[in-house]
């Protein structure tokens, strides 16, 4: 109750105070329809996060930054990028599509790897969060929403020659050592950047005597060159390495003392041209990932190697003074080589188009995608977005269809093992998910200092894929199973409906010449109903109420920042390991920094200030209070 009262007071203050703007509350976005539009014109609920917030806030990885963005539920199994599932508008973590400069990042092995972003934070220009379906534009996984990470090198040239960079080092409790560094050089024709993020700690105590150690490293670079006839060639290569204790990440067994290693190599080539009212873009991406998972010291490790190749073409052009057309095609190949899941490959292709028509204050954008996949054949995915603008108000609505086929873990997990006494079991006979989503909302602007958005939504889903507790006698395949055991089988839930309301508020102002305040807050209410009598694991895990907020206050050289999340969900118990999910929790972090010589900054951060004992997913223990401090230097 106190949280709701505080949020209401912030709203009242925001309405009463006006000042100079700090950031653009109605920026240009490219995620809603692959066409550059103001957020207020898209007909969608979109939030744009500036990349510089990573250095300002008490966060150590991109998934931690997203955890406090309204409307995104990040279900973390460990801190600092160990592993997090990204959930939007309920449902499962596989129903959110993550993009890097417009290219699909989701791994074909499992959606658990969607938060492994192969780019250092210094190279990120902004992150665009689109809530709701976008399958007509981006294809499968874009069911609950899209997170598009936009980098500086691929998207931002400067007229003058300039070199800048950052070096930041932090130390703290539990032998914490974090480093964040980057350098960028740009001129009229060349744009280059390189970055590094390294998070290391012995970790806090988990169940038993094990500690939640982490050694996560991300580094890489990108180059963009302006060629003759207004062509731009961009290349990126990045390597992401994660080593962490994975105890009870996927099971609630006492014998689970797991460790995991995940290496990802990302390569991307982009060739684009903007001339007059026509833009063209070719993208080629190759991703390779190696996952090594050891359940305990006496087990045989799961060794999984996945590959993903994507070729994409986009074209956008003005067809009249009031209309523009975007169209494109995409082909990709996903494959794995696994001692646990077997060797498999799947091919996919699509053609898609989006029309944007503007008539004074009214905008309408229909989209259509013809999708083909080896798993489900041909599917037609329509979508329609509209918006109507008055002086300080935007009214918007959206409807669309989305589908999703099972990943390789959902199809084949534990399929090739000689004997599986318990755990999750894949199902190669899974049907494809199908959903229709509808939403309507409004945005209220007060200049560029205040924005309030309210959105109501409903999603009707069939054949939702999730894991369900299933006794041995009911298992469709018993070849390597133990009679009398109970397994978590990947199944199709016949019908799931999700409804909710999202409210986001952003307020910013300057107080005199040396003080400024930025506040972003939001509350999300969700309810899901399933036709299955036995609750499935991930659907029942999503929050019913989410309250999130970020505060950035500066006064001359002093900066105070904080973020918090309040989560209300269903309680769960796992007596075998004495674990539980509380019905709710409140997590608060803070950071104080002081800048001197206009270049260097000393900072102290405290995560989980109230030392709350909490978990996002049953069995995965999250850290208590954690204090760190360090220095960062901009040059």
């Amino acid at each position: 109750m106190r949280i709701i009262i505080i949020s209401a007071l912030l709203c009242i203050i925001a309405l009463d105070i006006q000042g100079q703007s700090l950031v653009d509350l109605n920026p240009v976005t490219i995620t809603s329809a692959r066409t550059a539009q103001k957020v207020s014109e898209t007909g969608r609920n979109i939030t744009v996060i500036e990349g510089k917030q990573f250095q300002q806030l008490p966060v150590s990885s991109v998934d931690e930054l997203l955890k406090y963005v309204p409307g995104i539920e990040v279900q973390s199994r460990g801190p600092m990028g160990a592993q997090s599932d990204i959930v939007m508008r309920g449902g499962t973590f596989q129903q959110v599509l993550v993009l890097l400069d417009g290219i699909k990042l989701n791994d074909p092995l499992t959606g658990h790897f969607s938060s492994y972003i192969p780019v250092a934070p210094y190279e990120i220009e902004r992150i665009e969060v689109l809530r709701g379906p976008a399958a007509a534009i981006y294809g499968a996984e874009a069911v609950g929403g899209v997170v598009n990470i936009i980098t500086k090198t691929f998207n931002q040239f400067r007229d003058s020659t300039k070199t800048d960079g950052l070096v930041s080092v932090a130390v703290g409790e539990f032998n914490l050592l974090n480093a964040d560094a980057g350098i960028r050089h740009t001129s009229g024709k060349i744009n280059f950047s390189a970055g590094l993020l390294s998070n290391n700690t012995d970790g806090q105590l988990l169940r038993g005597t094990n500690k939640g150690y982490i050694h996560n490293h991300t580094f890489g670079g990108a180059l963009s060159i302006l060629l003759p006839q207004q062509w731009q060639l961009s290349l990126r290569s990045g390597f992401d390495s994660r080593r962490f204790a994975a105890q009870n990440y996927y099971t609630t067994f006492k014998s689970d003392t797991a460790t995991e290693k995940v290496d990802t190599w990302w390569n991307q080539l982009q060739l684009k041209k903007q001339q007059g009212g026509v833009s063209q873009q070719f993208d080629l991406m190759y991703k390779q990932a190696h996952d090594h998972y050891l359940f305990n010291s006496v087990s045989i490790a799961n060794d999984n190697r996945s590959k993903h190749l994507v070729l994409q073409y986009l074209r956008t052009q003005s067809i009249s003074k009031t209309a523009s057309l975007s169209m494109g095609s995409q082909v990709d190949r996903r494959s794995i080589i696994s001692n646990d899941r077997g060797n498999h490959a799947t091919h996919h292709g699509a053609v898609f188009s989006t029309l944007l028509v503007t008539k004074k204050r009214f905008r309408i954008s229909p989209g259509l995608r013809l999708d083909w996949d080896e798993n489900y054949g041909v599917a037609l995915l329509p979508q329609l977005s509209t918006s109507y603008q008055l002086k300080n108000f935007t009214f918007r609505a959206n409807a669309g269809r989305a589908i999703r086929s099972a990943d390789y873990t959902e199809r084949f997990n534990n399929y090739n093992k000689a004997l599986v006494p318990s755990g999750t079991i894949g199902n190669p006979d899974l049907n494809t998910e199908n959903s229709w989503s509808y939403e309507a909302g409004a945005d209220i602007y007060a200049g560029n200092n205040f924005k309030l958005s309210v959105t109501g939504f409903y999603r009707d889903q069939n054949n939702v894929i999730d894991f369900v507790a299933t006794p041995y006698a009911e298992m469709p395949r018993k070849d390597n199973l133990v009679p009398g055991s109970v397994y978590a089988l990947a199944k199709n839930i016949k019908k799931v409906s999700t409804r909710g309301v999202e409210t986001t508020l952003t307020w910013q102002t300057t107080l005199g010449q040396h003080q400024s305040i930025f506040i972003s807050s939001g509350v999300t209410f969700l309810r899901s109903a399933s036709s299955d009598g036995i609750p499935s694991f991930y659907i029942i895990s999503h929050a019913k109420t989410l309250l999130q907020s970020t505060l950035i206050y500066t006064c001359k050289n002093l900066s105070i920042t904080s973020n918090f999340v309040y989560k209300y969900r269903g309680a769960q118990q796992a007596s075998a390991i004495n674990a539980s999910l509380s019905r709710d929790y409140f997590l608060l972090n803070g950071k104080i920094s002081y800048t001197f010589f206009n270049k260097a900054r000393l900072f102290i951060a405290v995560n989980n200030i109230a030392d709350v004992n909490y978990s996002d997913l049953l069995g995965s223990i999250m850290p208590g209070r954690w204090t760190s401090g360090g220095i960062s230097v901009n040059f």
Side-chain angles (χ1 to χ4, degrees):
M1 179 61 68
R2 284 184 297 176
I3 298 170
I4 297 174
I5 293 173
I6 291 171
S7 299
L9 289 173
L10 290 176
C11 293
I12 294 170
I13 293 170
L15 288 170
D16 287 341
I17 298 178
Q18 293 293 321
Q20 299 177 13
S21 61
L22 304 171
V23 299
D24 189 355
L25 299 187
N26 188 22
V28 172
T29 175
I30 59 173
T31 303
S32 63
R34 297 188 185 268
T35 303
Q37 296 173 267
K38 286 284 189 177
V39 167
S40 60
E41 300 171 355
T42 62
R44 305 303 304 269
N45 188 5
I46 297 176
T47 295
V48 179
I49 308 146
E50 293 190 341
K52 67 180 182 181
Q53 286 196 8
F54 187 90
Q55 279 77 40
Q56 295 172 317
L57 296 171
V59 297
S60 301
S61 57
V62 174
D63 59 304
E64 288 186 343
L65 177 65
L66 293 174
K67 191 181 187 79
Y68 305 95
V69 175
I72 298 182
E73 182 186 3
V74 175
Q75 299 175 339
S76 299
R77 289 180 170 84
M80 306 174 197
Q83 191 180 104
S84 293
D85 295 341
I86 303 172
V87 178
M88 296 174 68
R89 294 189 173 178
T92 68
F93 57 92
Q94 293 100 329
Q95 294 178 334
V96 173
L97 181 63
V98 182
L99 306 172
L100 180 56
D101 286 319
I103 293 293
K104 178 180 176 179
L105 188 144
N106 300 50
D107 196 86
L109 179 67
T110 173
H112 290 311
F113 297 166
S114 294
S115 63
Y116 295 163
I117 313 298
V119 61
Y122 184 79
E123 296 185 81
I124 297 175
E125 177 189 341
R126 66 187 188 275
I127 301 174
E128 298 183 356
V129 177
L130 184 153
R131 301 169 182 85
I137 305 164
Y138 294 105
E141 283 92 33
V143 180
V146 175
V147 177
N148 192 5
I149 298 164
I150 311 295
T151 65
K152 300 173 183 175
T153 311
F154 275 44
N155 297 277
Q156 191 184 85
F157 275 81
R158 294 185 288 216
D159 294 333
S160 60
T161 300
K162 186 177 181 181
T163 302
D164 50 49
L166 167 77
V167 176
S168 179
V169 178
V171 296
E173 297 176 283
F174 312 103
N175 290 326
L176 174 73
L177 175 60
N178 293 349
D180 180 17
I183 186 170
R184 181 186 176 207
H185 173 81
T186 184
S187 62
K189 292 188 176 181
I190 295 178
N191 200 355
F192 166 79
S193 68
L196 164 71
L197 176 66
S198 181
N199 292 323
N200 304 272
T201 178
D202 293 344
Q204 297 189 22
L205 188 66
L206 303 176
R207 178 179 52 81
T209 59
N210 298 313
K211 291 186 176 181
Y213 73 86
I214 293 170
H215 299 288
N216 296 338
H217 316 290
T218 303
F219 56 90
L223 174 68
S224 288
I225 303 172
L226 292 183
L227 303 175
Q229 298 183 352
Q230 297 183 320
W231 286 98
Q232 176 185 326
L233 175 65
S234 302
L235 304 101
R236 171 176 299 283
S237 185
F239 183 74
D240 185 269
S241 174
R242 315 265 169 156
R243 307 282 188 273
F244 49 89
Q247 178 174 288
N248 295 124
Y249 273 25
Y250 312 111
T251 80
T252 54
F253 303 141
K254 197 170 183 178
S255 56
D256 185 345
T257 57
T259 61
E260 191 162 9
K261 306 173 184 178
V262 185
D263 294 330
T264 304
W265 184 39
W266 174 278
N267 295 279
Q268 183 178 354
L269 181 149
Q270 183 184 93
L271 184 65
K272 64 182 179 181
K273 179 180 182 179
Q274 175 73 51
Q275 188 172 26
V278 179
S279 67
Q280 298 184 78
Q281 180 176 314
F282 299 88
D283 288 286
L284 176 65
M285 184 279 289
Y286 175 75
K287 176 185 176 183
Q288 183 173 300
H290 179 202
D291 171 47
H292 186 87
Y293 172 80
L294 184 65
F295 179 77
N296 59 32
S297 59
V298 297
S299 64
I300 298 174
N302 293 349
D303 194 80
N304 307 297
R305 299 175 185 269
S306 64
K307 296 180 181 179
H308 193 189
L309 178 68
V310 177
L311 178 62
Q312 180 176 271
Y313 170 72
L314 303 172
R315 179 185 175 91
T316 301
Q317 66 183 76
S318 299
I319 55 178
S320 71
K321 292 182 179 180
T322 60
S324 63
L325 179 68
S326 297
M327 63 189 75
S329 59
Q330 182 187 80
V331 293
D332 65 278
R333 183 181 190 272
R334 295 155 287 172
S335 63
I336 63 163
I337 299 174
S338 171
N339 67 338
D340 165 49
R341 295 159 176 83
N343 302 337
H344 308 276
T346 304
H347 297 83
H348 170 266
V351 292
F352 49 91
S353 180
T354 303
L355 178 67
L356 174 63
V357 179
T358 303
K359 292 289 187 180
K360 295 183 179 180
R361 296 172 178 173
F362 179 73
R363 290 173 176 83
I364 184 169
S365 180
L368 187 65
R369 183 184 187 93
L370 182 64
D371 209 78
W372 172 84
D373 191 278
E374 285 189 55
N375 292 319
Y376 52 77
V378 177
L380 198 62
L381 306 178
Q383 189 159 313
L384 179 66
S385 300
T386 63
S387 67
Y388 182 78
Q389 287 184 287
L390 297 175
K391 184 177 181 181
N392 295 320
F393 297 87
T394 298
F395 301 95
R396 47 186 168 74
N398 174 70
R401 183 190 179 206
I403 57 174
R404 188 184 76 84
S405 61
D407 60 35
Y408 288 127
T409 294
E410 292 167 323
R411 290 182 182 277
F412 302 109
N413 192 55
N414 279 327
Y415 230 62
N416 274 17
K417 288 186 177 180
L419 185 66
V420 184
S422 57
T424 56
I425 305 296
N427 183 357
D429 297 323
L430 289 167
N431 293 321
T432 300
E433 291 183 357
N434 179 63
S435 66
W436 281 91
S437 296
Y438 313 90
E439 67 177 81
D443 304 316
I444 304 172
Y445 293 87
N448 199 37
N449 293 88
F450 176 80
K451 178 184 176 183
L452 175 65
S453 299
V454 180
T455 306
F457 58 88
Y458 174 77
R459 183 166 70 245
D460 186 25
Q461 304 176 87
N462 298 312
N463 291 324
V464 177
I465 301 168
D466 203 355
F467 290 92
V468 180
T470 306
Y472 171 85
E474 298 178 15
M475 295 295 290
R477 174 183 180 268
K478 303 180 176 67
D479 295 3
N480 58 349
L481 307 183
V482 176
S485 296
V486 176
Y487 296 89
L489 174 67
K491 295 177 67 176
N492 286 115
I493 313 302
K494 185 177 180 180
K495 184 176 178 62
V496 177
S497 60
T498 301
R499 66 193 70 213
V501 177
E502 297 166 336
T503 302
T504 61
L505 178 151
T506 306
W507 171 62
Q508 58 183 359
T509 189
T510 55
L511 307 173
Q513 295 182 345
H514 304 293
Q515 296 185 71
S516 64
I517 298 175
F518 173 87
I519 295 175
S520 174
S521 298
V523 61
T524 304
F525 301 99
L526 281 166
R527 292 294 182 272
S528 290
S530 172
S531 63
D532 200 314
I534 302 175
S536 58
F537 184 76
Y538 289 105
I539 290 175
I540 66 169
S541 296
H542 77 68
K544 298 179 181 179
T545 302
L546 268 176
L547 178 59
Q548 296 146 298
S549 186
T550 294
L551 165 69
I552 302 174
Y553 169 75
T554 60
C555 179
K556 295 185 179 180
N557 294 339
L558 180 68
S559 175
I560 300 174
T561 64
S562 69
N563 47 26
F564 74 74
V565 57
Y566 170 77
K567 182 182 295 190
Y568 176 84
R569 71 279 176 91
Q572 299 180 47
Q573 298 285 335
S575 56
I577 57 174
N578 194 28
S580 65
L581 278 184
S582 60
R583 187 165 294 277
D584 64 352
Y585 72 78
F586 175 73
L587 184 66
L588 174 66
N589 311 307
K591 185 176 183 178
I592 299 176
S593 59
Y594 185 82
T595 303
F596 54 97
F597 303 133
N598 293 323
K599 299 291 184 182
R601 183 166 54 93
L602 291 171
F603 59 87
I604 296 176
V606 183
N607 292 83
N608 195 355
I609 292 174
D611 199 21
V612 175
N613 181 17
Y614 78 102
S615 296
D616 281 325
L617 291 162
L618 187 61
S620 299
I621 301 173
M622 291 298 291
R625 184 186 297 115
W626 205 321
T627 302
S628 62
I631 184 172
S632 65
V633 179
N634 289 281
F635 60 88

